[in-house]
Amino acid sequence: MPDSTSTPRSTSLRTSLVLRILLPLAVVVSAAAVLAVMGLEREVEARMQDEVELVARALRLPLTHAMELDRPGTVDRALRSALEIRRVYGVNVYGPEGEDIASFGEGWPGEPPERLTEMAAEGQRLGEYGSAGGRRVYSYFIPLADSWGRSLGVLQVTRRRRDIDDSIQRIRRQSAGLLFLGFAAVGVLILRGHHRVIGGPLDRLRESMARVRQGDRDHRAGDGGPRELAEVAVAFNAMLTAMEGAESELAARRRDEVELRRKLAHAEKLAAVGELASGVAHELGSPLSVIDGRAQRMLRRLPHPGVGPSLGDGLGAIRGQVRRMEGIVRQLLDFGRGETGTRIPTPVAGMVLRAVSAAAPEAEERDVRIRTRGPRPGPSLTLDARRMEEAVTNLVRNACQACGSQGGEVRVGWDEQEGEVRIEVEDDGPGIPPEIGSRIFEPFFTTKPTGQGTGLGLAVVHGIVDAHGGRVEVDRSPLGGARFRILLPRAAGESDAGARDG
């Protein structure tokens, strides 16, 4: 399987730029330059040939005048003056019959007299390349005639081919040098421009991708550079943001799934325990009733001759333990019941005060003061009043028990905030240790000594509140003990008794 982090085997953008743009441009420009140089070479060659022709024309008139007057010295001086021009390699004058009249420099030996005679007779002008003294030369022939048009001969002006070739080679070298410098300058400009405009932003974008790949998910690429690269950077950042959102959403879904599974497992556990508790309660109910009834009938027969007072005390103790077991059975039945009964609009204040009254005997027994606070009648909720009253009663009794045997204070309050009805019960006892805070609502979990609690009270409270769509929270009370808070949502269609009563 290929490594996703490895560099793909392909040419770089710079190399592609050179191969696909600069190189084809060089080929096209070079071809155009070659054609231009070739045209320039032809123009230079024609110009240098024209120079030879101009020299010949310049010599023609004085030579013709000197030959008409038969002045050989003047002819020689004219020919020598032509040689002083460095561009002239040789000067020759031929008579009408092709005979050599005067020669200076290196001419064109071996020219047939018949051809020279023909050029002199016909007045032809001719320029051509040939060889003189083992060197390539260019010669221009121009006929000479007197003022009456009679042929006097032919003038030959010769120039070395090397002069022409040197000029052409110099043009080629200069053109090649300029072309190379031009290509070098263009290449440098293109590559430098590529680095500044494209390479730099791409390097920064690649560095940003590397940082993200290494785990820096909060990093974002800069949007500098050309518009197209800036759009790529913006799209890259948008992709990272979308990925973060997707990952957050996925993590949230996973957390929700874990929490849902935990709640489902807890609900299944509670259902199993509730079913077991309900079955045990039903099985214990009848035997306990029989035991209590028999003990009560035996107590009615006392005093009986031969029976001491200790028997009566024992029977009273039996009935006391039976009542305690019946209380446990009721808790088991309440825990196993699960579902709530008929729900009706109920003023919260009245329901809470009834719960406080139900717990008042235990508070008086323990010398605990119960203080209440809240609007009356206050908000009204549609709920199973009997079961919710039972839940609040359990919390108040637990608070009284937490205060200990030396007395204490319990506060019970209710109000409405942000669409929720809140019922609080707090005490000044020792509070709940943080290490067991997550277990206090588990069935049969208790911190009381053996025989003083079943561990079902808070589990019953949690079940009743959860069946009403609410929740139970616990934290530290300003009094120093624990504070339990029941939060119930205000459902649509519920009324506010306080509002009705003005």
Side-chain angles (χ1 to χ4, degrees):
M1 183 176 180
D3 186 5
S4 60
T5 61
S6 61
T7 302
R9 295 181 178 179
S10 59
T11 57
S12 65
L13 181 60
R14 183 177 301 176
T15 303
S16 300
L17 188 65
V18 171
L19 294 179
R20 300 188 179 185
I21 296 180
L22 191 57
L23 187 58
L25 179 63
V27 171
V28 172
V29 173
S30 298
V34 169
L35 294 177
V37 170
M38 291 176 62
L40 183 60
E41 290 175 356
R42 288 192 294 270
E43 183 178 351
V44 169
E45 183 177 3
R47 186 179 299 172
M48 298 185 74
Q49 292 175 358
D50 291 342
E51 290 178 356
V52 175
E53 182 178 353
L54 289 175
V55 172
R57 290 179 177 178
L59 291 175
R60 178 183 181 185
L61 184 59
L63 284 177
T64 302
H65 183 68
M67 290 177 70
E68 282 182 338
L69 298 177
D70 193 16
R71 295 178 179 176
T74 303
V75 172
D76 291 345
R77 285 194 298 272
L79 296 181
R80 286 194 183 95
S81 65
L83 289 178
E84 292 178 359
I85 303 175
R86 295 183 179 181
R87 296 181 177 85
V88 176
Y89 183 61
V91 182
N92 299 82
V93 178
Y94 301 97
E97 302 300 329
E99 71 276 14
D100 188 5
I101 297 177
S103 297
F104 291 90
E106 298 186 16
W108 194 326
E111 186 69 27
E114 297 81 5
R115 187 165 181 266
L116 294 173
T117 303
E118 181 180 356
M119 285 190 292
E122 296 179 358
Q124 295 179 354
R125 298 181 182 182
L126 178 65
E128 61 183 8
Y129 290 100
S131 178
R135 300 176 182 177
R136 295 284 294 171
V137 295
Y138 173 77
S139 292
Y140 183 78
F141 296 89
I142 185 171
L144 301 175
D146 58 14
S147 54
W148 292 279
R150 292 176 301 180
S151 175
L152 298 177
V154 177
L155 171 64
Q156 178 189 14
V157 180
T158 304
R159 184 171 189 173
R160 288 180 296 183
R161 174 62 187 266
R162 181 179 176 182
D163 295 337
I164 300 175
D165 293 340
D166 288 345
S167 297
I168 292 176
Q169 290 297 328
R170 184 169 57 256
I171 292 174
R172 290 177 178 175
R173 288 193 298 268
Q174 292 175 352
S175 301
L178 291 176
L179 189 63
F180 175 78
L181 292 177
F183 279 135
V186 171
V188 169
L189 291 176
I190 290 178
L191 295 179
R192 186 173 179 82
H194 159 267
H195 177 73
R196 295 188 60 181
V197 178
I198 300 177
L202 282 180
D203 290 341
R204 291 191 291 272
L205 184 59
R206 185 170 59 248
E207 291 174 0
S208 297
M209 292 179 178
R211 289 183 60 177
V212 173
R213 186 174 63 247
Q214 293 170 1
D216 187 2
R217 296 300 179 88
D218 295 330
H219 176 73
R220 292 294 181 269
D223 55 358
R227 182 184 63 186
E228 291 79 2
L229 294 181
E231 291 175 353
V232 172
V234 170
F236 176 70
N237 293 337
M239 180 189 68
L240 291 179
T241 303
M243 289 176 60
E244 280 190 352
E247 290 177 355
S248 299
E249 183 179 356
L250 181 60
R253 289 184 179 180
R254 288 176 177 173
R255 288 193 298 269
D256 293 342
E257 183 179 357
V258 171
E259 181 66 16
L260 183 60
R261 289 180 179 177
R262 187 191 66 79
K263 290 183 177 179
L264 181 60
H266 183 67
E268 292 176 350
K269 175 182 176 181
L270 292 181
V273 174
E275 186 177 354
L276 174 63
S278 180
V280 171
H282 282 292
E283 292 297 327
L284 291 177
S286 296
L288 289 175
S289 297
V290 172
I291 294 173
D292 185 54
R294 294 289 177 90
Q296 185 177 9
R297 284 195 296 271
M298 290 181 68
L299 283 172
R300 287 175 182 174
R301 295 176 181 177
L302 295 178
H304 191 278
V307 178
S310 60
L311 179 59
D313 295 337
L315 292 174
I318 289 174
R319 293 202 67 193
Q321 293 301 316
V322 168
R323 284 193 296 271
R324 179 174 176 271
M325 293 182 67
E326 287 177 344
I328 295 175
V329 169
R330 282 194 300 272
Q331 285 188 337
L332 290 173
L333 289 173
D334 289 339
F335 178 73
R337 188 175 297 123
E339 294 295 330
T340 60
T342 303
R343 300 186 182 189
I344 59 175
T346 303
V348 174
M351 182 266 296
V352 173
L353 292 175
R354 288 193 299 271
V356 170
S357 297
E362 186 165 355
E364 292 176 0
E365 181 182 347
R366 295 176 177 273
D367 194 22
V368 174
R369 299 182 306 277
I370 301 178
R371 300 181 183 276
T372 60
R373 66 182 186 278
R376 302 184 187 186
S380 179
L381 289 177
T382 300
L383 44 77
D384 185 344
R386 186 187 65 82
R387 298 218 65 195
M388 188 59 67
E389 182 180 328
E390 179 184 352
V392 177
T393 301
N394 283 346
L395 290 180
V396 176
R397 284 176 176 168
N398 281 352
C400 293
Q401 295 169 6
C403 291
S405 60
Q406 302 300 322
E409 181 180 351
V410 172
R411 294 179 182 175
V412 182
W414 62 92
D415 61 2
E416 181 180 3
Q417 291 184 0
E418 298 179 357
E420 289 184 325
V421 174
R422 181 173 63 179
I423 302 172
E424 289 185 351
V425 178
E426 50 187 330
D427 59 72
D428 59 358
I432 298 176
E435 58 270 14
I436 66 171
S438 60
R439 300 187 59 194
I440 59 176
F441 295 109
E442 294 181 2
F444 305 110
F445 177 81
T446 181
T447 58
K448 298 176 182 178
T450 303
Q452 297 186 17
T454 62
L456 289 174
L458 291 179
V460 171
V461 172
H462 184 274
I464 294 173
V465 174
D466 186 68
H468 284 80
R471 64 186 187 278
V472 183
E473 297 178 351
V474 59
D475 58 5
R476 193 76 175 176
S477 168
L479 297 176
R483 175 169 58 185
F484 285 85
R485 184 182 295 112
I486 296 176
L487 299 172
L488 299 171
R490 291 295 302 266
E494 293 179 341
S495 60
D496 192 324
R500 290 197 307 269
D501 295 343

